[in-house]
């Protein structure tokens, strides 16, 4: 039906828009305040997601076209890979330089180990 429960004006509403869809509408934002919001189902977000807390995934995340990690600063950014689920002390850290030029690391399309060294450190990546 086209019946709606409206608040303030017709732009803020709750509506059973079909037999299987419940619609919430607002002009600007919908603010949920709770200690926990439990969603049992898939979530589709068509806009930008801004997160201030920690994200914990119990499955592998899938990125269809690549992934960018930015630290919001002009200093070097980094990604850390930990050896166990409780963020133990054994880790691999991939650091991007704080520079004005891009650095590209391209891994081969084959199983094996890639090793790079400089004067102070060594890195080995097992592939396959």
């Amino acid at each position: 039906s086209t019946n709606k429960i409206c608040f303030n004006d017709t732009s803020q509403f709750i509506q059973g828009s079909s037999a299987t869809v419940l619609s919430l509408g607002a002009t600007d934002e919908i603010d949920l305040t709770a200690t926990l919001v439990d969603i049992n189902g898939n979530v589709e977000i068509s806009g930008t997601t801004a997160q201030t807390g920690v994200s914990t995934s119990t499955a592998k995340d899938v990125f269809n076209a690549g992934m960018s990690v930015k630290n919001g600063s002009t200093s070097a950014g980094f990604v850390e890979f930990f050896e166990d689920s409780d963020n133990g002390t054994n880790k691999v850290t991939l650091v991007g330089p704080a520079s004005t030029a891009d650095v590209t690391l391209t891994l081969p399309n084959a199983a094996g180990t890639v090793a790079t060294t400089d004067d102070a450190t060594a890195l080995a990546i097992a592939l396959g």
Side-chain angles (χ1 to χ4, degrees):
S1 127
T2 59
N3 295 332
K4 298 177 182 179
I5 299 173
C6 295
F7 305 90
N8 296 320
D9 61 31
T10 58
S11 69
Q12 296 179 345
F13 64 86
I14 299 173
Q15 175 188 23
S17 51
S18 74
T20 59
V21 176
L22 178 66
S23 297
L24 300 174
T27 305
D28 185 36
E29 88 179 48
I30 297 172
D31 183 8
L32 298 175
T33 302
T35 56
L36 175 68
V37 176
D38 187 4
I39 300 172
N40 295 305
N42 297 326
V43 177
E44 182 178 319
I45 300 171
S46 60
T48 300
T49 302
Q51 179 177 326
T52 57
V54 174
S55 174
T56 302
S57 299
T58 57
K60 293 179 182 177
D61 293 323
V62 176
F63 299 90
N64 291 330
M67 180 177 106
S68 294
V69 177
K70 297 182 180 184
N71 67 353
S73 173
T74 57
S75 62
F78 64 92
V79 178
E80 292 179 328
F81 301 91
F82 289 93
E83 50 112 5
D84 59 18
S85 62
D86 62 355
N87 292 345
T89 58
N90 297 326
K91 65 184 176 185
V92 172
T93 302
L94 179 61
V95 178
S99 68
T100 58
D102 291 339
V103 174
T104 301
L105 173 64
T106 302
L107 300 176
N109 192 14
T113 300
V114 174
T116 63
T117 62
D118 65 15
D119 292 340
T121 60
L123 167 67
I125 301 171
L127 306 172

